[in-house]
Amino acid sequence: MRDFAAESFGAVVLSSVTASVIGRAAFGNHPFLDLPVFHLKSGWEYLIFAVLGIVVGAVGVAFTHILYWIEDACDWAWRGPEWLRPAVGGVLLGGLLLALPQMYGVGYPVLAHAIDGEYVVWLLLILMVGKIVATSLTIGIGGSGGVFAPSLFIGAMAGTAFGVLVHQLFPAATAAPGMYGLIGMGAAFAGATRAAITAVVILFELTGEYSIILPLMLAIVAAALTSRILSKETIYTLKLTRRGVDLDAAHHGSVSRLEQSAVASVMELMPEPIAAGTPIEQAGRAVWLSANGVLPVIGADEHYHGCLTAQSVAEALSDPASDHATAGDLAVIPPKITETASLADALDALGAATATGIPVLDSAGRTVVGWLTHRAVLKALQSAHTGT
């Protein structure tokens, strides 16, 4: 999502927990990958894991660009009918699978064998390159496939090969190569997608290995930083950029318009205010007939005293002790916004308000000069976007 907000985070967590509970109930409460327990050998190994993150993060960036290079090459080379393209491309892909049958399918069993130390370095590197080519060719010929599982596979091969090499150099000070392969999975995913939080959580969920949290986070952060240095785009945003969708421009453009526009330029006419001394029944009828279910309350001093909402009126009418209440007694103070404030600040105030609109005050904060609603802000953004 490239952003973090409590509302979206809550929705993601709720849906994920629900799906996880159902999945565990159906398939058992055990990790997806059954791996041995890994432990660090020394504090110096954290430096090695940082280097691992840089190296494998660069591999993730390479995977991103090779994927689209091969896709472009397929588009350039193919001159026949589009319906025949998957079949001809499938012949090439089938030849690759004959040479490297480990590429067939998602590859989780091969991934587990690599982390268990069943492959030598040269085969690990061949499998890493093979997976990059196989995934890229699958998508390039018009097949259906994702990049999530391949990035884990690529990271496991690259990380395990890295671990074998450093273990041969420092056998007494480094953990088993499989631990490097395990952490390499997250590093490659972070290098390709730059989704660091997702990479950390995914590795926990897939393996259940909570003992590797510190080196895992270190390597993933190093991989994400390496990716940011080496490439402007991620494996997901590059696809959109190639289609003419610039997420950064859209985001910054909207933020710029919000920050540069004042509330006074989009506010609506103030609804007819209600006097603070108005009896509750009469005030209730006025609120219910209003467009937004809320009215500003003006005191005898002609100054703004708050707002009367339909909710507060309903609660007062259901309470016998409130029979003699007035509009001023039930007035609440919504988030304060002045006519000179920017729309960015106004959106924060609107988000914190319980009503559908809030009053706009003068610079002194005593007099209501207008009314601001979500509708008005959205119309202003739409007009700026369309140039109308």
Side-chain angles (χ1 to χ4, degrees):
M1 299 179 69
R2 308 185 72 203
D3 195 5
F4 186 92
E7 293 82 359
S8 56
F9 181 74
V12 170
V13 169
L14 181 61
S15 59
S16 299
V17 169
T18 303
S20 181
V21 169
I22 294 174
R24 290 170 187 261
F27 303 111
N29 189 17
H30 51 80
F32 185 80
L33 296 176
D34 187 13
L35 302 172
V37 178
F38 297 111
H39 297 286
L40 289 174
K41 288 291 186 68
S42 68
W44 291 103
E45 206 167 359
Y46 284 106
L47 295 176
I48 301 177
F49 281 111
V51 176
L52 171 69
I54 294 172
V55 173
V56 180
V59 172
V61 174
F63 173 42
T64 298
H65 292 281
I66 292 173
L67 173 70
Y68 294 110
W69 288 341
I70 292 181
E71 185 174 346
D72 288 341
C74 291
D75 291 338
W76 173 82
W78 183 249
R79 295 292 183 270
E82 197 64 24
W83 60 267
L84 190 58
R85 177 169 166 171
V88 175
V91 174
L92 298 176
L93 187 59
L96 177 61
L97 294 176
L98 288 175
L100 286 174
Q102 295 90 343
M103 297 297 98
Y104 187 81
V106 179
Y108 285 132
V110 179
L111 184 153
H113 292 326
I115 293 178
D116 285 337
E118 298 182 17
Y119 301 138
V120 294
V121 172
W122 64 265
L123 181 56
L124 291 168
L125 295 177
I126 289 177
L127 292 176
M128 178 192 75
V129 175
K131 193 66 171 181
I132 293 175
V133 174
T135 302
S136 303
L137 187 58
T138 299
I139 296 175
I141 64 176
S144 176
V147 296
F148 165 66
S151 66
L152 297 184
F153 185 99
I154 292 163
M157 300 304 124
T160 305
F162 181 92
V164 171
L165 294 176
V166 298
H167 192 67
Q168 290 176 352
L169 295 174
F170 312 104
T174 56
M179 183 172 180
Y180 289 84
L182 184 61
I183 293 178
M185 292 165 60
F189 180 77
T193 66
R194 224 171 289 159
I197 296 176
T198 303
V200 172
V201 175
I202 279 175
L203 262 294
F204 288 158
E205 288 293 304
L206 288 180
T207 66
E209 284 288 338
Y210 295 93
S211 61
I212 62 170
I213 180 170
L214 293 180
L216 176 64
M217 290 192 297
L218 178 62
I220 284 175
V221 168
L225 290 175
T226 301
S227 174
R228 184 174 295 276
I229 293 171
L230 295 179
S231 176
K232 176 185 175 183
E233 305 285 356
T234 71
I235 201 166
Y236 294 127
T237 61
L238 185 55
K239 171 69 77 174
L240 296 174
T241 300
R242 287 159 55 90
R243 294 177 177 175
V245 179
D246 191 338
L247 292 179
D248 290 325
H251 173 72
H252 294 317
S254 297
V255 171
S256 177
R257 287 191 292 271
L258 289 174
E259 291 178 345
Q260 294 175 3
S261 301
V263 170
S265 65
V266 302
M267 67 182 184
E268 301 174 353
L269 293 176
M270 179 186 70
E272 185 67 28
I274 189 168
T278 305
I280 184 62
E281 291 188 0
Q282 181 181 345
R285 285 193 294 271
V287 169
W288 292 326
L289 292 174
S290 65
N292 298 305
V294 57
L295 290 175
V297 177
I298 305 298
D301 55 0
E302 298 298 322
H303 288 163
Y304 165 71
H305 283 207
C307 288
L308 183 66
T309 65
Q311 179 181 352
S312 61
V313 171
E315 292 174 351
L317 291 177
S318 63
D319 185 3
S322 301
D323 289 344
H324 301 292
T326 63
D329 297 330
L330 303 179
V332 296
I333 305 296
K336 181 179 178 181
I337 193 73
T338 64
E339 58 184 333
T340 57
S342 69
L343 288 183
D345 294 332
L347 274 182
D348 292 335
L350 278 172
T354 56
T356 57
I358 56 176
V360 179
L361 307 179
D362 62 3
S363 57
R366 293 185 176 183
T367 305
V368 180
V369 296
W371 200 255
L372 186 69
T373 63
H374 295 85
R375 178 180 61 251
V377 176
L378 291 175
K379 286 177 65 177
L381 283 176
Q382 183 183 25
S383 298
H385 179 69
T386 58
T388 59

